[in-house]
Amino acid sequence: MTQSSRDQIVAEAGRMFSQRGFRETSVAEIAAAAGKSEASAFRIFGTKADLFAAAVAAYSDVTLDLSDLAMNVHLTDVRADLKAIVHEMFRLHIENIHLIRLSVAGRMQFPELRDAGAFVLEPLREWFRAYLDELVSRGQIRVRDLDLAVDLVCGAVFGDVLQATVVHQFESYTPELAAAVDDLWRARVESFCVDIIEVVAEPTGMDTAPRGLTLGTV
Amino acid sequence: MTSVIDSGARERILNAAYALFLSQGFKPTTTRQIAEAAEVNESTIFRVFTSKSKLFQEVLSHYVSERLTLDLSSAPTESDARRALAGLVEQMVRLLMETVPAFRLLVKGSLMDAEILREVDKRFRALQHQLWQHLMGLRGRGILGERDYGPSVELVFGSIELQAFEFTVQEAWQGDASGAIEAYAARLADFMFERWGLESEGDR
């Protein structure tokens, strides 16, 4: 079955607004990319802002699949769990990078999207909070400020994703990127387990300067 | 006609262009608008910067070098170490909040210059490094315990980045977020002191 004109235009709008921004993209360009006329795009959506809202709404219909998170977590080895969780968070962010970009741009511009940015982050944050909460109730970890601990991991992933997609221009979670994430998070996972929450553990080596993703391409 | 451009004109063009690009975006902003706002002749812009896209790149690199640096010398001296750390966090949040609107310009791939991106990235790492050095200083003074602060600073900085974005959205719709920013900075500083401070080692 062929896609309706509406769906085709919405799909192009999501991609183009994400890559080029709202103001830098014209309805005529979007319509042309979808093989439609500018007039028909305006007939269907009314205004450019309505088209933007439709593009974001289309992404919001996507349900975030958290089943891989649940599958890779065993609640026995906190460090191994954390490594799997970070990879999964990364993958989900990068898979939904268009939505993240649209909502970053849109939340500042459109009142109705103010809370839309929570789409990718919020379910992950809630899931991770529930995971740590479970470890606390099992007596495996102690946490002084649970919300802050959740924020530190989610924030660091968010910062890395910005760096990987904006500075290094990754559009997908490639093995190269996964390896860099692995390398970057080895010390962080250890630090999280020892310095942020408390799992019984040996201290790590001293004085590692903070750094960013190490990748060959910029 | 004189070919000499006073340096004030160049600065005025850069500032006017920055404000207009930020509020309207690249494409809808015309060199005529920039000329009017900077109170120069439109031809001056082309003489100095050659083209609108060259001007845009100049604006970004000017912005990065002028604004994206935390000047700690201007910070009020604070004898209380915990409040000084909270103050540093607050300054970082504010600085990053200023970069969020600029980031929306940077995200547009077609307009980006790899060198500017590398420079922005470098400044971000420098900010992270300043926080690390601050903690190392506290460790040196015996206020914080002996531990490797590098990876922890990476986690803390991520949280600061994320919160800066949330506060920017909050300010865009609900006005001044100073109270919330201050509370966040204090909470983060409290966490670092209570978790890593030497004084609390005993009662853990």
Side-chain angles (χ1 to χ4, degrees):
Chain A
M1 205 180 112
T2 56
Q3 258 187 319
S4 71
S5 295
R6 190 184 189 283
D7 291 348
Q8 281 173 38
I9 296 171
V10 166
E12 285 303 328
R15 192 179 58 77
M16 291 177 80
F17 281 137
S18 156
Q19 284 169 349
R20 300 159 58 173
F22 179 74
R23 293 197 187 92
E24 318 300 336
T25 313
S26 71
V27 175
E29 289 169 316
I30 293 167
K36 310 290 166 199
S37 72
E38 184 183 5
S40 64
F42 274 115
R43 202 165 49 240
I44 298 170
F45 296 98
T47 67
K48 186 173 156 186
D50 290 332
L51 175 54
F52 185 91
V56 174
Y59 275 103
S60 309
D61 287 341
V62 179
T63 320
L64 211 54
D65 182 7
L66 300 180
S67 58
D68 278 355
L69 265 177
M71 242 162 48
N72 291 316
V73 156
H74 308 288
L75 292 156
T76 44
D77 180 348
V78 180
R79 287 168 175 81
D81 279 358
L82 280 172
K83 278 174 194 153
I85 289 168
V86 165
H87 274 299
E88 203 44 33
M89 283 184 172
F90 240 91
R91 197 179 60 76
L92 287 167
H93 271 85
I94 297 212
E95 265 178 17
N96 292 285
I97 194 67
H98 287 319
L99 176 81
I100 293 175
R101 287 205 195 121
L102 287 179
S103 58
V104 164
R107 281 176 76 190
M108 315 278 292
Q109 224 162 340
F110 304 102
E112 60 270 33
L113 294 179
R114 198 171 67 196
D115 305 315
F119 170 70
V120 178
L121 281 171
E122 212 43 48
L124 288 178
R125 215 197 285 245
E126 270 167 41
W127 186 93
F128 188 50
R129 197 183 193 290
Y131 166 78
L132 289 182
D133 220 19
E134 177 66 25
L135 288 178
V136 171
S137 67
R138 291 175 181 222
Q140 283 172 266
I141 61 168
R142 274 186 293 171
V143 188
R144 193 178 286 270
D145 187 335
L146 184 64
D147 287 319
L148 192 60
V150 171
D151 211 45
L152 292 181
V153 172
C154 293
V157 169
F158 183 75
D160 289 348
V161 169
L162 269 186
Q163 205 195 0
T165 56
V166 177
V167 181
H168 300 282
Q169 310 204 342
F170 277 86
E171 296 271 319
S172 60
Y173 198 43
T174 62
E176 186 199 7
L177 182 54
V181 169
D182 233 7
D183 180 48
L184 187 60
W185 278 82
R186 201 167 295 124
R188 287 186 190 171
V189 163
E190 197 51 41
S191 163
F192 185 78
C193 290
V194 178
D195 301 330
I196 310 294
I197 62 173
E198 277 180 83
V199 186
V200 183
E202 298 296 319
T204 55
M206 301 295 286
D207 302 348
T208 313
R211 58 205 179 117
L213 279 174
T214 311
L215 289 160
T217 55
V218 179
Chain B
M1 200 177 94
T2 172
S3 63
V4 179
I5 315 264
D6 63 302
S7 60
R10 190 188 150 83
E11 191 74 20
R12 284 205 307 279
I13 294 169
L14 286 171
N15 287 331
Y18 177 72
L20 285 164
F21 283 141
L22 213 58
S23 62
Q24 306 182 158
F26 176 75
K27 223 194 254 175
T29 301
T30 65
T31 46
R32 172 181 287 246
Q33 288 176 318
I34 296 169
E36 272 169 23
E39 294 175 345
V40 297
N41 197 298
E42 196 179 348
S43 64
T44 307
I45 294 180
F46 288 103
R47 203 160 61 240
V48 180
F49 297 99
T50 324
S51 69
K52 189 173 112 177
S53 53
K54 288 237 172 65
L55 170 61
F56 182 77
Q57 303 294 351
E58 281 282 322
V59 164
L60 283 181
S61 50
H62 182 73
Y63 163 82
V64 168
S65 58
E66 291 283 302
R67 315 277 282 276
L68 208 48
T69 310
L70 194 57
D71 181 11
L72 293 176
S73 61
S74 66
T77 39
E78 178 66 72
S79 55
D80 182 275
R82 190 185 293 224
R83 276 175 38 209
L85 181 58
L88 178 64
V89 169
E90 204 180 320
Q91 266 185 292
M92 287 188 167
V93 172
R94 294 261 178 217
L95 188 72
L96 291 172
M97 283 174 72
E98 264 189 65
T99 73
V100 172
F103 242 98
R104 289 169 58 212
L105 283 179
L106 286 173
V107 171
K108 297 159 187 49
S110 53
L111 300 172
M112 271 184 307
D113 183 280
E115 207 169 303
I116 294 173
L117 283 176
R118 271 197 299 272
E119 192 55 34
V120 171
D121 193 43
K122 222 169 81 188
R123 303 277 169 164
F124 268 59
R125 296 314 122 206
L127 274 183
Q128 215 180 23
H129 211 84
Q130 279 181 303
L131 181 58
W132 180 63
Q133 280 174 326
H134 189 88
L135 295 182
M136 297 291 278
L138 291 175
R139 192 181 82 178
R141 284 158 60 194
I143 295 169
L144 294 184
E146 288 286 321
R147 66 178 75 233
D148 181 2
Y149 286 102
S152 311
V153 164
E154 291 171 16
L155 295 173
V156 168
F157 192 74
S159 163
I160 294 174
E161 279 179 283
L162 187 56
Q163 289 302 325
F165 176 64
E166 293 296 328
F167 289 135
T168 309
V169 175
Q170 197 179 320
E171 284 208 333
W173 299 108
Q174 292 152 34
D176 188 41
S178 296
I181 295 167
E182 223 173 284
Y184 166 73
R187 182 166 162 223
L188 201 54
D190 280 349
F191 174 81
M192 292 189 256
F193 266 78
E194 277 156 31
R195 194 68 184 79
W196 305 336
L198 275 179
E199 277 169 31
S200 58
E201 294 270 289
D203 52 53
R204 278 228 301 269

